[in-house]
Every structure is written in C-alpha cells, then in structure tokens.
Amino acid sequence: MLRAFMTYVRGHHVALLALFLALGGTSYAAASLINGSQIKPHSIPKNRLTKGAISSLHGAKGAQGTPGERGPTGAQGVPGQNGHKGATGAKGPTGPAGLGSLDNIQNLPCTPEGATGEASVFYLSGGPSNPNDANSSGSAQWQTLIACLTPDDLEQNNSKETATNATGFIDDFGQRWAAGTIYPSGDEDWYKLTATDLSDGVIDLYTVTADTVMDVYEDAGPNPVATDVYTYDPGPGAHDWLIRVYSTRPDLYFLAFNDAVASRSTGRPTSAKLQHLVPSYERVHG
C-alpha cells in the first residue's frame, strides 16, 4: 500500500507540487486581507473601483443656487421675408354722396340739446365792393351762417288767438323786445301789447333774410295798418297792438317794440342799451 502511494507521488510530483502552491497561495491571500483603517486616504484610484461602488459614493442633491445675472441681449436676427400678398377683397357698398355744396346742408336734421330741428344756410353780404357801387346789398366779403332752427320757446303763438302777450317783456334797461324763429316753413309768430304807448320809438324787425317781414294791427282792427314792413312808427298815444311776423322760408329774427329810431350812418339802433341784444348776424331793415 505504501509502495503504491510512493510510486504515485514520484510519478505525479510535479502536479502535486503545483497544487500545493496554488492552495497555499490562496490561503495566504485570505489570511492577508486588510481593513479600511489600513488604507491611506486618497490612495485608491477610481479605475480600481466597481461601477456600483462609484455610484454609491454620490451624496444627496444640494439646494438650487441663486440664478445668475441675465446676460446681454443678443444681436437682432435677420428679418424674415415678406409673405405673399393676399387676394383683393370684394368691393364694399358705395357710400353716400358728399355734400358738394353748402346749399346741400339746407334742411338737414339737427338736434341741439335734444331739440329736433333743421339746418338752414344764410348768405350775408359784407357790403359794397367800392364807393360807386349802387348795389346796397353789396358783393364783397360774403359770409355764410349755418343755423339749426327749432321752434322757439314762445310757441304756440301762430294765430291772433294764441298771440304772445309781450306787454311785460321789459328788461332791466326799460327795453321791450322778443326774439324767435320762423320754423318750420310756413310758421308765423303773433305778438300783442295791451294799452301800450310806443310814441317814444318805433317797432323794428331785425332779420337774417329779406323774406321775413311783419304786419301791424292797431286797436284790434280787422285790417293791418302796415303790411310787409320791417319798421313801423306807432305815433302818439296808448293802443292795443298786434304784430304778425312771417316769412316764405325759415329764419331768425329780433323784434324791438320801443327801439329808438335807427341811425342813418350805421342802420343800427341808436339806443346803446338795446344794441348789444341784436345778434351780429342779423341784418337791419329800416
């Protein structure tokens, strides 16, 4: 038995020696393991660690830092190309025709302060163009007045029966007067004075157009004592008066019942107290 074992060893001594060394080396390595305290700091290179070990070395995510300042604005880019022109749209409806002339303003509706009326155009002459011009209506400096005519606050007074009693229409300066409109077309305004002495003056009508005139009745007579006049001298004594103001077209007017006689040089009333009451756009008939 022993002889056979020795014969096996002699025949396999090289292989047995190699096995011995291998087992001895493993045992030595296992007996020579080291712990972490024996490793010097920063002595193990990264390439000696496993991927799992590397990933486990990451710490917790820190708080977000303060944003940095905004950087400078970059250069403006190149403008893009214009798009294609769209198709022309359909033609819209034709608008209303323009006025074309101041005359077209006549009778257009207007609503001053809520009242309903119509526009009226008046052409006023500035006077003769030269000293030898016999035309008193003149031809120089024509002016245009556009007024919105509405019924005046004395309506209804378009008949003898509804005549406005102007006996007490006396202002702080002792002047008796009234102002109104001829509107709408065909309107007429009536005024009456009761037991009134007008011997110190005249009844004077100031108008924008030459179409507006007056008729004067005395003491309720059936027929007027003056027809189609602008000025009437009442003469002496107190009387009952009826004055009818009318026109072939809408108009503005100022009626003075005891105005002083008009000045020959200016055609304006000589009474300075009443002068400021006559609108500058109204022409004087005397």
Side-chain angles (χ1 to χ4, degrees):
M1 184 71 166
L2 180 60
R3 184 183 300 171
F5 174 75
M6 292 302 293
T7 301
Y8 178 82
V9 168
R10 283 193 300 268
H12 297 85
H13 65 276
V14 176
L16 291 172
L17 179 62
L19 176 62
F20 173 78
L21 292 176
L23 292 174
T26 302
S27 299
Y28 176 80
S32 302
L33 290 175
I34 60 176
N35 57 35
S37 63
Q38 294 175 301
I39 302 175
K40 293 181 180 181
H42 311 293
S43 63
I44 301 177
K46 181 179 179 183
N47 62 359
R48 295 299 180 181
L49 301 177
T50 65
K51 292 183 179 180
I54 294 174
S55 62
S56 65
L57 295 177
H58 290 291
K61 185 177 180 180
Q64 183 175 354
T66 304
E69 295 183 358
R70 183 177 179 179
T73 303
Q76 184 175 356
V78 180
Q81 295 181 350
N82 293 333
H84 296 290
K85 183 178 179 181
T88 303
K91 183 178 180 181
T94 302
L99 292 175
S101 168
L102 287 176
D103 298 333
N104 299 134
I105 299 176
Q106 191 73 35
N107 301 327
L108 287 179
C110 53
T111 54
E113 297 184 357
T116 301
E118 294 180 358
S120 188
V121 182
F122 304 101
Y123 296 99
L124 310 176
S125 170
S129 56
N130 64 78
N132 297 323
D133 191 348
N135 182 3
S136 60
S137 65
S139 58
Q141 301 177 5
W142 283 94
Q143 304 171 57
T144 303
L145 167 69
I146 302 174
C148 182
L149 298 183
T150 62
D152 58 56
D153 59 0
L154 301 176
E155 295 289 353
Q156 297 281 341
N157 62 345
N158 52 0
S159 67
K160 286 184 179 181
E161 293 73 24
T162 60
T164 296
N165 190 343
T167 306
F169 283 15
I170 301 176
D171 63 19
D172 295 339
F173 303 104
Q175 304 297 317
R176 182 184 287 111
W177 55 269
T181 60
I182 300 298
Y183 179 83
S185 182
D187 178 46
E188 56 184 50
D189 293 342
W190 287 76
Y191 298 88
K192 65 181 179 181
L193 304 174
T194 303
T196 302
D197 186 356
L198 301 179
S199 58
D200 291 337
V202 294
I203 302 174
D204 232 347
L205 178 65
Y206 303 86
T207 69
V208 175
T209 74
D211 300 329
T212 303
V213 291
M214 66 179 176
D215 293 345
V216 180
Y217 295 78
E218 183 180 289
D219 292 329
N223 299 314
V225 293
T227 304
D228 297 343
V229 296
Y230 308 116
T231 299
Y232 177 72
D233 186 352
H239 299 275
D240 292 336
W241 303 100
L242 274 174
I243 299 98
R244 172 192 175 220
V245 181
Y246 55 97
S247 178
T248 57
R249 55 175 284 187
D251 199 7
L252 304 169
Y253 67 85
F254 183 90
L255 183 59
F257 296 105
N258 61 334
D259 189 19
V261 176
S263 167
R264 291 183 179 180
S265 60
T266 65
R268 291 289 186 178
T270 56
S271 171
K273 293 181 180 180
L274 197 61
Q275 170 80 29
H276 73 283
L277 295 175
V278 180
S280 59
Y281 55 77
E282 291 180 348
R283 58 185 295 175
V284 177
H285 303 286

